[in-house]
Amino acid sequence: MAVQIRKLDSTAPDFTQTLDALLAFEAETDDAIESAVARILADVKKRGDAAVLEYTNTFDRIPNGGAASMAAFDVGQAELDAALAALPDAQRDALRVAAERIRVFHERQKQELNGFTFTEPDGTVLGQRVTPLDRVGIYVPGGKAAYPSSVLMNAIPAKVAGVQEIVMVVPTPSGVKNQMVLAAASIAGVTRVITIGGAQAVGALAYGTESIPAVDKIVGPGNAYVAAAKRRVFGTVGIDMIAGPSEILVLCDGTTDPDWVAMDLFSQAEHDELAQAILLCPDADYIARVEESIHKLLPTMPRAATITTSLTDRGALVKVRDMEEACTIANAIAAEHLEISAEEPLKWADRIRHAGAMFLGRFSSESLGDYCCGPNHVLPTSRTARFSSPLGVYDFQKRSSIIQVSEAGAQTLGKVAATLAYGEGLQAHARSAELRLKS
Amino acid sequence: MAVQIRKLDSTAPDFTQTLDALLAFEAETDDAIESAVARILADVKKRGDAAVLEYTNTFDRIPNGGAASMAAFDVGQAELDAALAALPDAQRDALRVAAERIRVFHERQKQELNGFTFTEPDGTVLGQRVTPLDRVGIYVPGGKAAYPSSVLMNAIPAKVAGVQEIVMVVPTPSGVKNQMVLAAASIAGVTRVITIGGAQAVGALAYGTESIPAVDKIVGPGNAYVAAAKRRVFGTVGIDMIAGPSEILVLCDGTTDPDWVAMDLFSQAEHDELAQAILLCPDADYIARVEESIHKLLPTMPRAATITTSLTDRGALVKVRDMEEACTIANAIAAEHLEISAEEPLKWADRIRHAGAMFLGRFSSESLGDYCCGPNHVLPTSRTARFSSPLGVYDFQKRSSIIQVSEAGAQTLGKVAATLAYGEGLQAHARSAELRLKS
């Protein structure tokens, strides 16, 4: 199957509708998955460890007839450290460099959010405290989508936030552990690793079992069962966003090596057949050169089949009027990853209101950010960058308001509160304020 | 029915189980509501204004055979301003004082979050931008639960965040508009008011219709249909938390006038029969005095029936060993509103890790905070203060990462990224990084 990437022109009368249709993505809700997940969660809530053990032995095909107890799924610190020590030096060093850069960036996020208090002339003190969550769960997929980089990106912000307990769950299909994932857990400072997965792991983290304490928030990607389970336990615990397919939008002024842009599009498309890679460029000749690069480079890619499907089904090369229009379209797309591959990237970045992460200048390939620049690679997908943010330290902190009203403050505030409370028909509210009045 | 508030003792062997059972609250999911909401949302998505008009005319019993078009539901700025001008002076002044204090407090939140950039020695720039949402929807309940204070608490943080369009929807059962709610919208700077409600209003805001632009986030309380609709559109738009029943937890060292504490418990209990009011105190005699105050003051309360049910079903007066234990229990409860009515409130506040808002000292009644101290009264309920925060300016902002890698930076980062990408089997990621290497 040859790649057939669609070419669009922003001056076409139906351009907006065509683009909207291309961007449209609705996660399917599968009734069979929903009811299976509801059943598993209820069972884990009721039977605890016994249920988790049974599901894990069955679904993950744990060898030798399955584990005898939950204790078998706990991976000790020594095993994590051994996995790290056993890695090839280059991989260990790369993980360490990435982890340190991620930590440094996220420390900046932490510095920004300190809370505040201020005192009014009458002595009333108002403020906001910022505190970490006590305990969080990190879901790490097993099998082919087991990414050590995701362990770093999910665990390090929690660590920086000051979370005391970071419980990582990772399924081990057929009992096989991914050594690079364990090594990443060692580096990231995960406090406990349990080799369970699926809806049963989400349930265990949300409700707690005899052997697993309930956490306050669950983050990390997973398959359709995990996503459905996270949605269902939301409220009992916090969750991060339910991620859609990954996306890249490249804005290029036509001055970047077309091979680089083609490979950047590939780096998104290779993730998943549903991944989306789009180029916006005002230069038709340049677009043609990128297309040539795509055809030239694609056969060299081990994941050519995935790339071909992704680019054919969901990709596009878009000729725009100018870079100004490219920015307008980029704001409507609100992409997860936005590369501005241009001579004056900041000039265009200043016009962008919505993007998960912006990669500015031709040396800033998305792949650098995916691994080791420092900012998080967990980013809002499917246009949710309009209202949400990269995963960060702030996702592992929460705020509490501080209100300390002085006796003098209670006199002035009490009258205002009582007036409004009577207006709303809430007389106990009004009386509660009035009891603090001196006269 | 006389109030029968349960008395617990933390030294009882079954205390923890008893308290857990008392705190347990699960929002019912009603299949009839779920399917009705799913149908209404799908219809609004498909037919737009026509669907919203029909549902509104029917469900809200709009008089004179219903409105002829959506235009009839738009409330112009002149009508909002007229509602404000027509209020009694004391109410108008109180709303203005409250609005100004809320604005001042939320400006402090905004100052805290500025984003950052930093430059590394090789010229690589990393950072985080903070930008407001473009357009938000605020849901305001109609009928008996129409609270002008909620208009201020939801709209002002959005305004302070820099949101350009604030679209408020409020149903008007039988076509009756709440003038104090319209006045609050005028003060808060809401940019458009539409008198629609229910799941149809949530659908209109989430998907957009011919007359209503799609928003990026929907906040504000509503009934079971509104809550179900918000859950369903989450992902298409952002939403705030789905609030459970309101709660107050009072920690008292026995030095506060017991009438004050009794009235503070009432001020929560009068909201709703499901509301929860709990006192923790180490002094048994003082608890008895609070109980006397409850019996003495309850007959004076217009909402005595609601208060009686709430206190009987979900309230408790708890004798604890000491204030240290009270703080430990408070952390487990993670209350929406926590009053520390004690001689040294800060001493105890420093031990609190989880609470939506802390009211320190005996003059800080929750009712002052509900209306006019400045911090938000939209707070995490049902133990969600373990992982979430009061509504704030930050709910109307989002962050974008900035990554501008220098040519020199691409050399060092590229090797790290390529090593990790090959380790994860993502070769296009690796090649994308390697193409930027000079050698």
Side-chain angles (χ1 to χ4, degrees):
Chain A
M1 176 179 152
V3 63
Q4 292 283 348
I5 187 163
R6 65 178 58 67
K7 287 193 279 187
L8 304 179
D9 189 310
S10 68
T11 61
D14 62 349
F15 171 70
T16 304
Q17 292 92 307
T18 307
L19 183 65
D20 284 351
L22 185 65
L23 296 172
F25 175 79
E26 292 209 39
E28 289 177 44
T29 51
D30 181 314
D31 287 343
I33 291 177
E34 287 295 329
S35 60
V37 166
R39 199 178 58 242
I40 293 168
L41 289 178
D43 199 21
V44 170
K45 193 174 188 179
K46 187 176 167 193
R47 296 198 299 130
D49 278 348
V52 177
L53 182 64
E54 286 171 27
Y55 289 121
T56 302
N57 280 335
T58 305
F59 294 155
D60 293 343
R61 304 175 307 282
I62 302 301
N64 305 317
S69 76
M70 288 292 291
F73 299 135
D74 251 296
V75 182
Q77 187 64 43
E79 188 173 347
L80 303 182
D81 296 344
L84 179 61
L87 281 189
D89 288 350
Q91 281 192 356
R92 189 173 49 248
D93 291 348
L95 273 180
R96 283 194 169 133
V97 169
E100 176 60 13
R101 294 185 58 89
I102 295 165
R103 192 189 62 72
V104 167
F105 183 84
H106 287 79
E107 288 283 358
R108 295 298 292 250
Q109 289 184 334
K110 188 181 187 186
Q111 287 165 27
E112 202 183 32
L113 205 58
N114 293 310
F116 55 82
T117 58
F118 58 98
T119 305
E120 303 197 305
D122 66 17
T124 294
V125 177
L126 300 172
Q128 185 170 281
R129 277 197 196 173
V130 180
T131 45
L133 277 60
D134 283 349
R135 187 188 292 133
V136 303
I138 296 181
Y139 192 96
V140 176
K144 66 169 181 170
Y147 294 142
S149 58
S150 289
V151 175
L152 302 183
M153 292 291 184
N154 280 277
I156 292 174
K159 199 82 184 173
V160 170
V163 174
Q164 292 297 308
E165 291 184 56
I166 302 175
V167 182
M168 178 176 125
V169 295
V170 54
T172 52
S174 304
V176 178
K177 294 171 187 168
N178 180 318
Q179 296 302 310
M180 210 167 167
V181 162
L182 299 187
S186 168
I187 288 181
V190 169
T191 52
R192 186 172 172 192
V193 174
I194 311 170
T195 57
I196 60 174
Q200 58 275 18
V202 174
L205 291 172
Y207 307 131
T209 69
E210 299 89 326
S211 71
I212 301 173
V215 303
D216 300 306
K217 187 166 186 169
I218 301 173
V219 300
N223 64 16
Y225 289 86
V226 172
K230 282 171 64 182
R231 273 188 190 276
R232 280 178 181 268
V233 300
F234 174 55
T236 300
V237 295
I239 62 168
D240 57 352
M241 293 291 295
I242 305 289
S246 197
E247 316 142 16
I248 191 171
L249 179 68
V250 180
L251 266 59
C252 185
D253 62 2
T255 61
T256 303
D257 184 328
D259 281 0
W260 295 15
V261 169
M263 195 58 77
D264 293 354
L265 298 174
F266 288 178
S267 74
Q268 197 56 240
E270 76 173 341
H271 268 297
D272 182 349
E273 294 179 348
L274 291 170
Q276 186 155 57
I278 297 176
L279 169 66
L280 305 183
C281 176
D283 180 342
D285 291 341
Y286 180 80
I287 290 176
R289 291 169 59 208
V290 171
E291 198 178 12
E292 281 169 30
S293 293
I294 287 173
H295 291 292
K296 174 186 75 183
L297 295 169
L298 186 58
T300 71
M301 293 283 100
R303 297 169 82 105
T306 303
I307 295 170
T308 299
T309 305
S310 162
L311 290 183
T312 302
D313 291 353
R314 303 204 72 220
L317 306 175
V318 184
K319 160 82 169 67
V320 293
R321 290 177 176 87
D322 48 38
M323 287 294 282
E324 283 82 358
E325 187 185 39
C327 292
T328 303
I329 295 170
N331 281 321
I333 292 177
E336 182 190 13
H337 304 98
L338 176 67
E339 278 189 17
I340 303 184
S341 202
E343 288 287 350
E344 297 175 277
L346 265 178
K347 173 179 165 187
W348 309 118
D350 286 343
R351 300 178 185 220
I352 300 297
R353 297 195 311 282
H354 311 300
M358 289 191 245
F359 298 80
L360 308 185
R362 67 178 61 95
F363 286 99
S364 306
S365 73
E366 187 212 307
S367 62
L368 299 181
D370 285 343
Y371 289 106
C372 58
C373 287
N376 214 286
H377 78 194
V378 181
L379 296 167
T381 58
S382 302
R383 297 190 68 230
T384 59
R386 290 175 297 127
F387 56 83
S388 55
S389 302
L391 189 71
V393 171
Y394 37 83
D395 288 301
F396 300 101
Q397 298 174 314
K398 72 280 193 306
R399 303 162 173 96
S400 300
S401 301
I402 300 289
I403 296 173
Q404 184 166 19
V405 179
S406 66
E407 184 169 356
Q411 309 310 306
T412 51
L413 295 174
K415 287 167 194 148
V416 173
T419 299
L420 294 172
Y422 282 124
E424 294 186 351
L426 294 173
Q427 297 89 355
H429 283 68
R431 292 291 303 141
S432 170
E434 287 174 342
L435 285 176
R436 270 87 173 175
L437 299 180
K438 282 185 190 165
S439 57
Chain B
M1 175 178 151
V3 63
Q4 292 281 349
I5 187 164
R6 66 177 57 65
K7 287 193 280 186
L8 305 178
D9 190 311
S10 68
T11 61
D14 62 348
F15 172 70
T16 305
Q17 294 91 310
T18 307
L19 184 65
D20 285 352
L22 186 66
L23 296 173
F25 176 80
E26 292 209 39
E28 291 176 43
T29 51
D30 181 316
D31 287 345
I33 291 177
E34 286 296 329
S35 61
V37 166
R39 199 178 59 241
I40 292 167
L41 289 178
D43 199 22
V44 169
K45 194 173 187 178
K46 186 176 169 193
R47 297 197 298 130
D49 277 349
V52 177
L53 182 64
E54 287 169 27
Y55 289 121
T56 303
N57 282 335
T58 305
F59 294 155
D60 293 343
R61 304 175 307 281
I62 303 300
N64 305 317
S69 78
M70 288 292 291
F73 299 133
D74 252 298
V75 181
Q77 187 64 43
E79 189 174 346
L80 302 182
D81 296 344
L84 180 61
L87 282 189
D89 287 350
Q91 282 192 354
R92 187 172 51 246
D93 291 348
L95 273 181
R96 283 193 169 137
V97 169
E100 176 60 12
R101 293 186 59 89
I102 295 165
R103 191 189 63 71
V104 166
F105 183 84
H106 287 80
E107 287 284 358
R108 293 298 290 254
Q109 288 185 333
K110 188 181 186 184
Q111 287 166 25
E112 203 183 30
L113 204 58
N114 293 311
F116 55 84
T117 58
F118 58 97
T119 305
E120 303 196 306
D122 66 15
T124 295
V125 177
L126 301 172
Q128 182 169 283
R129 277 197 195 175
V130 180
T131 45
L133 277 61
D134 282 350
R135 186 188 292 132
V136 303
I138 295 181
Y139 191 96
V140 177
K144 67 169 181 172
Y147 294 142
S149 57
S150 289
V151 176
L152 303 183
M153 292 290 184
N154 281 278
I156 292 173
K159 197 82 184 174
V160 170
V163 175
Q164 292 297 307
E165 291 185 55
I166 302 174
V167 182
M168 177 176 126
V169 294
V170 54
T172 53
S174 305
V176 178
K177 294 172 188 166
N178 180 317
Q179 296 301 308
M180 212 167 165
V181 163
L182 298 188
S186 168
I187 287 179
V190 168
T191 52
R192 186 172 172 194
V193 174
I194 311 172
T195 57
I196 60 175
Q200 58 275 17
V202 173
L205 291 172
Y207 307 130
T209 69
E210 299 89 326
S211 71
I212 301 173
V215 302
D216 300 305
K217 186 166 188 168
I218 301 174
V219 299
N223 63 18
Y225 289 85
V226 172
K230 281 170 65 182
R231 274 189 188 275
R232 281 178 180 270
V233 299
F234 175 54
T236 301
V237 296
I239 63 168
D240 56 354
M241 293 290 293
I242 305 288
S246 196
E247 317 142 16
I248 191 171
L249 179 68
V250 181
L251 266 59
C252 185
D253 61 2
T255 62
T256 304
D257 184 329
D259 281 1
W260 296 15
V261 170
M263 194 60 77
D264 292 355
L265 298 174
F266 288 179
S267 74
Q268 198 56 241
E270 75 173 341
H271 267 297
D272 184 346
E273 294 178 349
L274 291 170
Q276 187 154 55
I278 296 176
L279 169 66
L280 304 184
C281 177
D283 180 342
D285 291 341
Y286 181 79
I287 290 177
R289 290 169 61 205
V290 170
E291 198 178 12
E292 281 168 31
S293 292
I294 288 174
H295 289 294
K296 175 185 75 183
L297 294 170
L298 186 58
T300 71
M301 292 284 100
R303 296 167 83 105
T306 303
I307 295 170
T308 299
T309 305
S310 162
L311 290 184
T312 302
D313 290 355
R314 305 204 71 221
L317 306 176
V318 183
K319 161 78 171 65
V320 293
R321 289 177 177 85
D322 47 37
M323 287 292 284
E324 283 81 0
E325 187 186 39
C327 292
T328 303
I329 296 171
N331 281 322
I333 292 178
E336 182 191 14
H337 304 99
L338 176 67
E339 280 188 17
I340 303 184
S341 203
E343 287 288 350
E344 297 175 276
L346 266 177
K347 173 180 166 188
W348 308 117
D350 285 343
R351 301 177 184 220
I352 300 298
R353 298 195 311 281
H354 311 300
M358 289 190 245
F359 298 80
L360 308 184
R362 65 179 61 95
F363 287 99
S364 305
S365 72
E366 187 212 307
S367 62
L368 300 180
D370 285 344
Y371 288 108
C372 58
C373 287
N376 213 287
H377 78 193
V378 181
L379 296 167
T381 59
S382 304
R383 297 189 68 231
T384 59
R386 290 174 297 128
F387 56 83
S388 57
S389 303
L391 188 72
V393 170
Y394 38 82
D395 288 300
F396 300 102
Q397 298 174 314
K398 71 284 195 301
R399 304 163 173 93
S400 300
S401 301
I402 300 289
I403 296 172
Q404 184 165 18
V405 179
S406 67
E407 184 169 359
Q411 308 311 306
T412 52
L413 295 175
K415 286 166 196 150
V416 174
T419 299
L420 294 171
Y422 283 123
E424 294 186 350
L426 295 173
Q427 298 90 353
H429 283 69
R431 293 291 305 141
S432 169
E434 287 174 343
L435 285 175
R436 269 85 174 177
L437 299 180
K438 280 184 190 165
S439 55

